[in-house]
Amino acid sequence: MKYYYIILLVVFVGSANTEAQRRAKTPAKLLKKVYQLVEAKKFDKLKNYLYQGSVKHLSDTPKGQDHTIGDMIIDGIKRKRDQPHDFGYNAQNLKLIIDKHLDKIKPISQELKEKGFGDREREFGRFPDLYAIAKKHPKNIYLFQHKQVVIIMVKFKKKGVKLVFWENLGAMSKDNDLSQG
């Protein structure tokens, strides 16, 4: 009987460890994990680190489209949208942010929180869980903003930090050279 308890304990600890591995505890660790998974083309595992809010109910989403913000991020990565764009991606810029600009990740300002999360009819406030976090735990919303690049990450109590949005990460023009400032 003791043998069965040991097996159950091993299975429980093993599954808890696997669950913990699918969570990023900080925004910096999230960006590093996203970069690693994209480079390895492990998009199924990447979904664990992306916000999965459904966009089918949003007015600016074409009818019949049933996808999430996470799907939109993955689509931007797969299409290699190198031009400035919502959800556009460039591995060099993400690596540069990880290597040299993690200090620019800050909790979102009150003004930007109100603008992006404070109205249930606009932007990220349309997602009930993000709206609730903005109201109750605003310091759990993180912003990276440098030149034209914007990255929004949110820390969920049990799910860890998730990537919610990035914009202009794919920009590779001289005006958006991340290494210049």
Side-chain angles (χ1 to χ4, degrees):
M1 190 67 149
K2 197 176 195 183
Y3 178 73
Y4 292 111
Y5 288 122
I6 291 172
I7 290 175
L8 285 174
L9 181 64
V10 168
V11 168
F12 176 73
V13 170
S15 65
N17 190 27
T18 303
E19 181 63 33
Q21 290 172 347
R22 287 186 237 153
R23 286 185 275 162
K25 293 183 180 183
T26 67
K29 288 181 181 179
L30 171 70
L31 293 179
K32 290 174 185 177
K33 191 64 177 177
V34 166
Y35 178 78
Q36 290 171 345
L37 291 170
V38 170
E39 289 299 296
K41 296 186 183 339
K42 295 184 176 180
F43 299 111
D44 285 340
K45 289 184 180 183
L46 178 61
K47 287 181 181 182
N48 293 319
Y49 298 92
L50 306 177
Y51 177 64
Q52 295 300 321
S54 174
V55 294
K56 68 181 177 182
H57 68 281
L58 302 181
S59 61
D60 51 352
T61 303
K63 291 197 185 250
Q65 300 259 341
D66 187 16
H67 55 273
T68 67
I69 288 181
D71 294 332
M72 294 168 72
I73 292 171
I74 290 174
D75 182 59
I77 292 167
K78 286 181 176 180
R79 290 178 188 236
K80 299 184 190 288
R81 294 179 177 158
D82 283 341
Q83 73 276 9
H85 193 280
D86 289 359
F87 307 111
Y89 179 75
N90 182 283
Q92 291 172 313
N93 277 355
L94 183 55
K95 183 73 169 127
L96 186 60
I97 290 167
I98 291 166
D99 291 345
K100 297 186 178 183
H101 297 290
L102 290 177
D103 61 319
K104 291 179 175 61
I105 298 172
K106 307 278 187 222
I108 198 166
S109 70
Q110 180 67 24
E111 177 186 350
L112 289 175
K113 178 192 78 110
E114 287 301 320
K115 184 178 176 184
F117 294 85
D119 183 348
R120 295 193 127 192
E121 302 300 317
R122 295 185 45 218
E123 306 293 333
F124 300 105
R126 295 185 274 188
F127 299 94
D129 51 350
L130 296 181
Y131 181 82
I133 289 171
K135 291 294 182 195
K136 295 177 185 174
H137 306 286
K139 291 187 179 194
N140 286 349
I141 302 173
Y142 298 94
L143 176 71
F144 172 89
Q145 190 169 19
H146 183 63
K147 298 198 177 203
Q148 297 174 0
V149 178
V150 175
I151 302 173
I152 298 173
M153 298 161 278
V154 174
K155 183 176 183 179
F156 293 86
K157 189 173 184 177
K158 294 182 180 181
K159 298 177 186 176
V161 181
K162 303 282 185 180
L163 175 63
V164 174
F165 176 79
W166 58 30
E167 173 180 57
N168 296 325
L169 189 61
M172 291 299 292
S173 68
K174 289 199 185 236
D175 346 22
N176 197 36
D177 181 7
L178 291 173
S179 62
Q180 299 295 317

